[in-house]
Amino acid sequence: MASNNEKVYLLLVYGEYQRNSRNTARLYAERYPERYHPPYNYFVRIELFLRNSGKLPARQGIYRRNQRQVIGEANIQDESQVLAYVQLNPRSSIRPDLVQKLVPGNSNRRLIFIACFMVQLHDDPNFLQFICWTDESKFINNGMINKQNNRYWADHNPYWKTGTNHQTVWEKIRNNVFFQQDGVPAHNTIVLREYLQNKLGNRWICTYEAVAWPPRSPDLTLLDFFLWGHLKNVVYTTPPLNVQDLKNKIVNSFAELTKKQILAATQIEMIRRLQSCMENDGLNFEQFIR
């Protein structure tokens, strides 16, 4: 039977050929001769299952007994990929990257999101230009603070604290009206969802909507994987003198962004990440694209 990764490709080809299942089955077999070739009605069943349940159908005959086995299998797969990459690229860095930990079920939701996203992109090649990406980040006037490195040992509570001045920035990169927001609980309140539905119809991306945003996926959020890191590199080139200087640096760093940088992040890099995530069956993938 097909893996989740193959099912995503099946759906993409099915949409490419206008949901003609017989033509899709024939052309899929010609395009991917080394893969599993399902009967024509398999494409219809996958689409119906996805629409009705919001997830891809499970592989028949495969039942994992407990979560530990799932995690163990994922770790073995990740280890093999890392070892293979290092063997091919011996000069590459193997320092650990901080990533959002995925829990069982997250990878499947990431694949579903990518499938829906790719269908939208197929229907409208300019789809990425019409997404309003939203997020927020905190800028601190003395640079980034790693709280794990701040230690004070005492026999009693010293009520010790460190004062900082900071500026929180909310950002949206907007070309048009397809609205995206992540899975913060405040974004999923009934009041807000009803408001967005009345204003935008189905033209918005959130946890429980038509295009469901996958949890724990900053690696698929261009504000996380590009914008905040880039801006903080610029802002902290020289330490801000005070809060007003910090604000000025943030405004200036935005103004210095070029159209080429924005297009590279919103289109080229975004598509590259979606494809890489799909190739890694919805699991963490950034270690393989750097």
Side-chain angles (χ1 to χ4, degrees):
M1 298 297 291
S3 65
N4 282 339
N5 191 30
E6 290 173 327
K7 288 171 187 172
V8 172
Y9 278 104
L10 290 172
L11 286 173
L12 293 176
V13 178
Y14 185 45
E16 182 179 349
Y17 291 102
Q18 308 301 317
R19 294 183 172 83
N20 185 318
S21 58
R22 293 183 184 274
N23 285 344
T24 302
R26 177 174 54 82
L27 294 169
Y28 184 86
E30 294 175 0
R31 184 180 296 183
Y32 304 108
E34 75 286 357
R35 296 183 181 176
Y36 166 70
H37 300 152
Y40 71 91
N41 59 358
Y42 188 72
F43 297 84
V44 180
R45 295 204 305 270
I46 292 181
E47 182 189 26
L48 290 177
F49 193 95
L50 179 59
R51 289 183 181 278
N52 294 331
S53 67
K55 60 183 179 180
L56 296 171
R59 298 177 67 178
Q60 296 180 358
I62 297 180
Y63 299 94
R64 295 182 173 91
R65 294 184 177 180
N66 53 52
Q67 178 178 335
R68 183 177 300 177
Q69 182 178 354
V70 177
I71 296 175
E73 291 176 359
N75 287 341
I76 293 173
Q77 181 182 3
D78 291 345
E79 181 181 350
S80 299
Q81 290 177 323
V82 171
L83 291 174
Y85 181 84
V86 173
Q87 184 174 3
L88 292 174
N89 303 273
R91 295 183 179 274
S92 62
S93 172
I94 56 174
R95 292 174 296 177
D97 290 323
L98 296 178
V99 299
Q100 181 72 55
K101 181 180 179 180
L102 300 177
V103 301
N106 286 167
S107 59
N108 194 46
R109 291 183 63 177
R110 283 155 66 91
L111 289 174
I112 293 170
F113 166 74
I114 293 172
C116 295
F117 200 95
M118 289 300 191
V119 169
Q120 292 278 358
L121 195 59
H122 177 266
D123 292 341
D124 181 3
N126 296 319
F127 172 62
L128 282 168
Q129 299 180 23
F130 301 111
I131 299 178
C132 172
W133 300 95
T134 67
D135 196 24
E136 69 280 338
S137 184
K138 181 176 290 185
F139 287 72
I140 300 173
N141 70 335
N142 56 349
M144 299 300 294
I145 291 180
N146 182 353
K147 296 180 181 179
Q148 299 303 319
N149 291 334
N150 292 329
R151 293 285 187 267
Y152 183 90
W153 301 97
D155 295 329
H156 60 281
N157 186 352
Y159 299 100
W160 177 66
K161 55 187 178 182
T162 301
T164 67
N165 292 318
H166 65 267
Q167 180 70 23
T168 300
V169 178
W170 285 266
E171 176 55 20
K172 48 189 179 181
I173 294 178
R174 179 171 185 172
N175 292 320
N176 211 315
V177 292
F178 212 110
F179 185 81
Q180 177 272 340
Q181 58 182 4
D182 57 26
V184 173
H187 294 167
N188 293 304
T189 60
I190 295 176
V191 173
L192 180 58
R193 291 165 62 186
E194 289 179 348
Y195 175 81
L196 291 175
Q197 188 64 32
N198 291 334
K199 290 291 184 180
L200 301 174
N202 290 325
R203 295 180 63 82
W204 56 297
I205 303 170
C206 196
T207 306
Y208 302 112
E209 302 314 311
V211 182
W213 182 255
R216 303 174 182 85
S217 298
D219 51 356
L220 298 178
T221 311
L222 65 90
L223 296 170
D224 281 313
F225 69 69
F226 163 68
L227 184 66
W228 300 132
H230 172 78
L231 292 183
K232 289 179 180 180
N233 283 338
V234 175
V235 168
Y236 296 125
T237 299
T238 57
L241 301 177
N242 49 48
V243 175
Q244 187 56 51
D245 187 39
L246 174 62
K247 293 180 180 180
N248 294 338
K249 285 176 173 289
I250 294 171
V251 172
N252 292 337
S253 64
F254 271 106
E256 292 171 0
L257 282 171
T258 66
K259 183 177 180 179
K260 182 178 179 180
Q261 288 175 310
I262 295 174
L263 289 176
T266 58
Q267 297 187 47
I268 300 173
E269 180 64 14
M270 186 67 189
I271 292 176
R272 184 171 80 109
R273 285 172 173 266
L274 292 172
Q275 291 173 341
S276 181
C277 184
M278 186 166 56
E279 291 169 358
N280 286 279
D281 213 19
L283 301 173
N284 295 122
F285 60 87
E286 287 185 305
Q287 65 270 31
F288 304 118
I289 63 173
R290 292 178 177 175

